[in-house]
Amino acid sequence: MPTSDPRQYLPVLQKSLWFNSLPTVASQRLLSEATVQHLGAGQQLFLRGDSFDGIYCVIEGGLRLTGIAPDGQENLFSVISPPTWFGEIAFFDGLPRTHDAQAVGPTVLLHVSPARLGGLVSEDPQWAFRLAVLMAQKTRLLFFALEAVARLDTQAKLARAIVMTLTQGWTAVPDLAGSSSPLNQGSLAETLGMTRQTVAAGLKVLQDQGIVKLGYRRVTVTDWPRLCDMAEIDAEYPPNSLHNENPS
């Protein structure tokens, strides 16, 4: 049942490594400034070029981040799923949104407006550093993506895309009891710049090896260590290295 109280979503939020690294007082303060927002399937959250309107966290559902190329073609940049916080880049540089964000289905978000975010920073300058840590996580994800494009073969790229989706670029703790990714073959093809046929063949290889199980618009991981090994990522990366403030 829909709720307007952000605290009701703590079980989801605590899977976010960034949110979980905040001191208890800080995380509670953040939730006190957040509001719950609901989007219908296909509803636009913001468009590339829009002014900064705060930061968000996906609680339920998901968002497609896309951009329009000069030839008019839509390019899928990422699919954001719970419990991902995003939108912090524009907080630092004051520039417009970099991508279009559209709900892929019924979606629930937490929203902290620019005014409330500014109030947090004025009240406690440490919030600027906390938001910088969040942005640094996205930079780390970008490096992983660039490495995949430059060096990895098809199977490794597919494996890494699945790992990065399930962990949202290692900003969230994956559910290893049957981890399932909402990425379908079309979305994977778009994000990786491959044909659907290449992606379908690659996923079938992973399924034949017992690493994933394919379903309707879903990819379920059945062997997490082997998937990470194929993606050339440490299966335990990076909880122990994440900045963690002393809880208070």
Side-chain angles (χ1 to χ4, degrees):
M1 183 175 182
T3 175
S4 60
D5 185 356
R7 293 172 298 180
Q8 296 300 312
Y9 298 108
L10 266 176
V12 177
L13 289 167
Q14 287 171 342
K15 293 181 180 179
S16 163
L17 295 179
W18 176 75
F19 182 85
N20 219 29
S21 72
L22 298 175
T24 302
V25 171
S27 61
Q28 291 176 346
R29 187 74 183 88
L30 180 62
L31 291 185
S32 73
E33 296 295 339
T35 58
V36 179
Q37 185 170 339
H38 298 265
L39 297 179
Q43 187 174 347
Q44 209 79 37
L45 178 63
F46 53 71
L47 296 172
R48 171 181 283 178
D50 283 353
S51 299
F52 175 62
D53 63 344
I55 63 171
Y56 295 88
C57 179
V58 180
I59 298 297
E60 297 175 5
L63 292 170
R64 285 167 50 91
L65 294 186
T66 61
I68 304 298
D71 61 4
Q73 180 180 350
E74 180 185 72
N75 296 314
L76 178 65
F77 175 71
S78 179
V79 177
I80 303 178
S81 57
T84 305
W85 290 86
F86 66 98
E88 74 284 349
I89 293 176
F91 167 79
F92 286 99
D93 62 17
L95 297 177
R97 294 298 190 187
T98 57
H99 293 83
D100 300 342
Q102 182 183 54
V104 297
T107 297
V108 180
L109 305 164
L110 293 188
H111 176 227
V112 184
S113 70
R116 294 189 175 195
L117 200 58
L120 286 176
V121 175
S122 296
E123 174 186 302
D124 178 6
Q126 184 73 3
W127 272 108
F129 174 73
R130 293 166 185 152
L131 291 169
V133 170
L134 179 61
M135 188 167 62
Q137 291 181 348
K138 309 295 175 56
T139 304
R140 190 176 293 271
L141 172 59
L142 178 60
F143 286 150
F144 273 118
L146 290 174
E147 178 189 35
V149 170
R151 188 176 61 81
L152 302 183
D153 61 23
T154 298
Q155 293 303 124
K157 287 180 181 178
L158 278 173
R160 183 166 291 192
I162 295 169
V163 171
M164 291 293 101
T165 300
L166 289 172
T167 64
Q168 289 297 291
W170 280 116
T171 64
V173 179
D175 177 11
L176 299 184
S179 295
S180 182
S181 165
L183 278 180
N184 56 39
Q185 293 182 11
S187 295
L188 281 169
E190 287 184 76
T191 55
L192 294 173
M194 300 177 181
T195 65
R196 292 196 180 203
Q197 292 80 2
T198 299
V199 169
L203 288 174
K204 187 177 184 306
V205 171
L206 292 178
Q207 178 170 254
D208 291 343
Q209 293 178 346
I211 296 175
V212 303
K213 181 179 179 181
L214 305 180
Y216 178 67
R217 302 180 68 86
R218 309 292 300 183
V219 177
T220 300
V221 177
T222 52
D223 193 329
W224 179 258
R226 288 178 64 200
L227 179 71
C228 290
D229 184 61
M230 181 170 287
E232 298 186 19
I233 295 177
D234 186 340
E236 299 299 324
Y237 176 89
N240 291 333
S241 64
L242 184 74
H243 164 76
N244 191 3
E245 296 183 55
N246 184 33
S248 59

